[in-house]
Structures are given as structure tokens and as C-alpha cells.
Amino acid sequence: MPYSSVELLDNREPILVFGRDGQIGKALQIYLKNVQAPVIFLGRSDCDLLSADSIQEVLNRYQPKIVINAAAYTAVDQAESQADLAFAVNARAPEIMAHYVARQSQGVFIHYSSDYVFSDTKLDAYLETDMPGPMDQLCVYGQSKLAGEEAIAKAFDLSEPSNSEMSRYYILRTSWVYGDGYNFIKTMLRLAAERQELKVVMDQWGVPTSASWLAELAVQLVASQAESGIYHCVPDGETSWHALAVYAIELASAASHSLALKPENILPIPSGDYVTAAKRPHNSRLHHVKLKRALAEMAGTSVYPKWQEHVKSYVQECVQSSSNN
Ligand SMILES: NC(=O)c1ccc[n+]([C@@H]2O[C@H](COP(=O)([O-])OP(=O)(O)OC[C@H]3O[C@@H](n4cnc5c(N)ncnc54)[C@H](OP(=O)(O)O)[C@@H]3O)[C@@H](O)[C@H]2O)c1
């Protein structure tokens, strides 16, 4: 980047971040460390997103111009039996935040969403203009994330024309996130230390995405004049869970991690052999041409990461930190 987008946030109004303790929330804490504008990070104990009153209260108290929602009900399988909770956190909470920001002058609302709003209606990677759903084909988590997206767009559409011209929203749809928290790559590294053989699903395709990079993108979009809307935020490339597991274990082995598991002993299985409460799409691939274009306009560069580069750094960090412990 030819400039620091963090600098562009200096001297601005307060920034309120929900989801302080999640993977993206923790990455935002690091990324927003040097911003001069006051940044308030809220965890569950500060504001329970199940309570509309609690959300409204913190918005009124801090009067932020910029709201970043990195919180979500992310327990995909549990959501099947807790639909009311998933919808409250993933749809109603962002709706309240969106209504608040849409009424501000020059406000910005950043919200993260998911590849699970799609359900195998396409063989190629999905564009932002592709129709999500249909609702009855999505898992409950996907339904709740889609309801959140729709509520945000509606809140901005409904706001006063004078303000809606000035306030912006960005829905960052992403997939297969890894960072400081529970995620697939960490699970593979942990299991690889204990097991000599592992079976991993080979018929679900997506793009692994770094939480740190997603935090950086949020800041860049806030600092940009990019148009409001949905952005597919994934790096270049695509892979399957099985190929990702093999790649991560190869990297960990090369970094001389003492693993019981050899990459060749990670066996590919169809998803039908790994039954989960929530049905996941086979095709989770998101097409990121819109984001690429926006970043190029913002920063004047066409450099764009490949998923392998970020996974490589991440696995090396994980190996390093486990050898320090
Ligand atoms: N993880 C993925 O693979 C993935 C893939 C696609 C999209 N996304 C999206 O990316 C965003 C961030 O994901 P992530 O991986 O960073 O999630 P995460 O690590 O699970 O963090 C979610 C955070 O939300 C908080 N939260 C949940 N319910 C809450 C409530 N009732 N009140 C207040 N806080 C609550 C959790 O608080 P506690 O720490 O107290 O539990 C947690 O800190 C979400 O919008 C998610 O849908 C994630």
C-alpha cells in the first residue's frame, strides 16, 4: 500500500467495534492499535447482542460515526437447534446497528457475512450480484446471516435521503476464516500432533481467509470512498478442506513441528461420510473481482494476496508459538 490507511482514520469520530474477543475482533484490536481516533471494543460482557436495549444503549452512549460488527453467532451446527438466538445475533443486532449508522452524517457501518448465504445454485465462484439462498436450502446459520445482510441494506435504503447519501455500509462476505481462535487449520495442527491418520472432507470447496487481512480490509474500506454494498472478501485461489489440511500439515512438518501425522495419511472422504447437524454447501467459492477493483482504485496497486501466502505465514506463527510454549 502506498499509504497507511490507518492514518486516514486519524482525527475521525469514535469507532465502535462489536465482537472484541472473536477471531476478527482480535485482529482488529491489533490493526486499530495505532489509530488516533478513539476506538471502543465491546465483548459479550459489555453488550449482549441478544438484548436490543443493550445495543441501543451503547450506541447512544458512545455516539460512534464508525461501527464495525465483528460479532456473530458462529456455531453453525448448534444454530440448527437455536435458530432464535442465531437470528437475534446475526440479523436483529446488525439491523439495529445499521439503523443507527444510516441516520448519522458520514457514518460507516462494516459488517461481516458468510459464504453460507449460498447453497450450490452455481458451479463457479459466486459474484456479489448472484442471488443468495434460496432460504429453504440454507442452514439456519446461513439463513440468519442472509437475513442480517437484507436488514442492513433495507435500513440504509429507508434512511433519510440526505443522510443515506452520506453514510455508507460495507458487508464483507468471506469464508473459511482463521486467526486467533478456533478454526479448521488450528484443529488440523492439534489433531496432527495426536493422530497418525485423519479423514477430511474433499468435496467442499472454498477460500481460506485470514482474520488479519479481513481486519485490514475493513479499515481500508472505511478510509475509502468505495460505494456501499456487499464485497466478497477472499484472497486469490480456491481449495478443498482436504487439500487445505494437507497443505497446512506439509508446512508444519517443514517447520520441523513434531507431528504424528504425515500429509499422505490425511485421507479424502466425501461429505456424506462426515455427518453434521447443519448442511454445508459444496461450493463456497466467492468471486472477488469487485473488491480487487476497489482496492486498486484506493491504493493504485494490483497486488492481491493468494490464500497460500497467508496460510503459510499463519501456520509458521502457530508452529512458532507452540514451540515457545
Ligand atoms: N469463522 C469462519 O469461518 C467464518 C466464515 C465466514 C464468515 N464469517 C463471519 O466473520 C465474522 C467473524 O467471525 P469470527 O470467526 O471472528 O467469529 P468468532 O471467532 O466466533 O467470534 C464471534 C464473536 O461474537 C461474539 N458473540 C456471539 N454472540 C454474542 C452475543 N450474544 N453478544 C455479544 N457477542 C457475541 C462472541 O463472543 P464470545 O467470545 O463471548 O463468545 C465472539 O467473540 C462473523 O460475522 C462470521 O459470520 C466467519
Side-chain angles (χ1 to χ4, degrees):
M1 290 280 149
Y3 62 82
S4 160
S5 46
V6 168
E7 279 166 23
L8 297 179
L9 290 176
D10 291 349
N11 305 319
R12 291 194 68 158
E13 307 289 335
I15 303 169
L16 191 62
V17 181
F18 291 92
R20 179 192 61 207
D21 302 314
Q23 298 194 90
I24 297 179
K26 284 182 187 159
L28 283 163
Q29 287 186 53
I30 295 169
Y31 207 76
L32 291 172
K33 206 183 264 175
N34 299 322
V35 167
Q36 279 174 20
V39 190
I40 301 112
F41 289 95
L42 301 176
R44 193 190 290 259
S45 57
D46 308 299
C47 176
D48 187 340
L49 298 187
L50 292 174
S51 160
D53 289 347
S54 178
I55 301 166
Q56 203 59 64
E57 195 274 317
V58 293
L59 291 168
N60 293 340
R61 187 186 330 154
Y62 295 111
Q63 306 263 309
K65 275 283 173 66
I66 298 167
V67 175
I68 304 179
N69 180 29
Y73 183 107
T74 53
V76 175
D77 290 314
Q78 225 169 298
E80 294 298 308
S81 55
Q82 295 191 325
D84 49 343
L85 300 187
F87 271 82
V89 176
N90 293 344
R92 191 186 53 177
E95 180 180 18
I96 296 166
M97 297 172 200
H99 275 293
Y100 169 85
V101 179
R103 286 197 303 270
Q104 305 302 305
S105 166
Q106 294 187 318
V108 184
F109 182 43
I110 299 275
H111 173 79
Y112 293 93
S113 191
S114 168
D115 50 341
Y116 284 11
V117 300
F118 292 112
S119 67
D120 289 328
T121 50
K122 208 178 165 185
L123 292 174
D124 299 336
Y126 293 96
L127 290 159
E128 289 83 352
T129 47
D130 285 325
M131 187 73 89
M135 270 287 190
D136 63 358
Q137 295 296 309
L138 301 175
C139 61
V140 169
Y141 165 77
Q143 290 175 7
S144 67
K145 294 298 290 184
L146 179 54
E149 291 185 358
E150 290 171 349
I152 293 166
K154 197 167 164 198
F156 277 81
D157 280 351
L158 289 177
S159 66
E160 292 297 312
S162 56
N163 279 347
S164 66
E165 272 171 26
M166 290 188 281
S167 280
R168 292 171 285 136
Y169 73 91
Y170 300 107
I171 295 172
L172 280 60
R173 259 193 211 144
T174 188
S175 66
W176 299 19
V177 177
Y178 57 90
D180 184 353
Y182 294 106
N183 61 67
F184 175 84
I185 297 175
K186 274 219 183 126
T187 303
M188 291 301 109
L189 295 176
R190 178 173 53 77
L191 293 176
E194 301 161 3
R195 302 211 194 150
Q196 293 187 337
E197 190 182 280
L198 210 55
K199 291 177 181 160
V200 181
V201 168
M202 43 70 86
D203 58 359
Q204 289 172 0
W205 291 81
V207 193
T209 307
S210 146
S212 305
W213 185 64
L214 289 167
E216 185 182 339
L217 287 181
V219 173
Q220 286 174 336
L221 284 168
V222 167
S224 77
Q225 286 303 319
E227 62 173 314
S228 283
I230 297 173
Y231 286 78
H232 284 178
C233 297
V234 291
D236 264 338
E238 61 188 50
T239 188
S240 69
W241 290 120
H242 174 263
L244 174 58
V246 170
Y247 185 64
I249 299 310
E250 280 172 354
L251 290 168
S253 305
S256 70
H257 200 50
S258 55
L259 300 178
L261 184 70
K262 302 264 172 294
E264 58 273 25
N265 293 332
I266 304 175
L267 310 178
I269 55 163
S271 45
D273 288 359
Y274 185 74
V275 178
T276 53
K279 180 174 163 252
R280 285 148 170 88
H282 289 283
N283 179 20
S284 268
R285 294 173 300 140
L286 301 174
H287 207 301
H288 49 42
V289 65
K290 182 176 170 188
L291 175 71
K292 252 183 174 171
R293 206 180 308 123
L295 290 177
E297 277 167 20
M298 272 180 245
T301 166
S302 57
V303 176
Y304 196 84
K306 293 185 173 41
W307 70 262
Q308 291 93 333
E309 294 164 20
H310 287 171
V311 167
K312 189 173 180 185
S313 316
Y314 179 73
V315 170
Q316 284 166 349
E317 277 168 32
C318 290
V319 170
Q320 186 69 46
S321 80
S322 76
S323 59
N324 289 343
N325 290 333

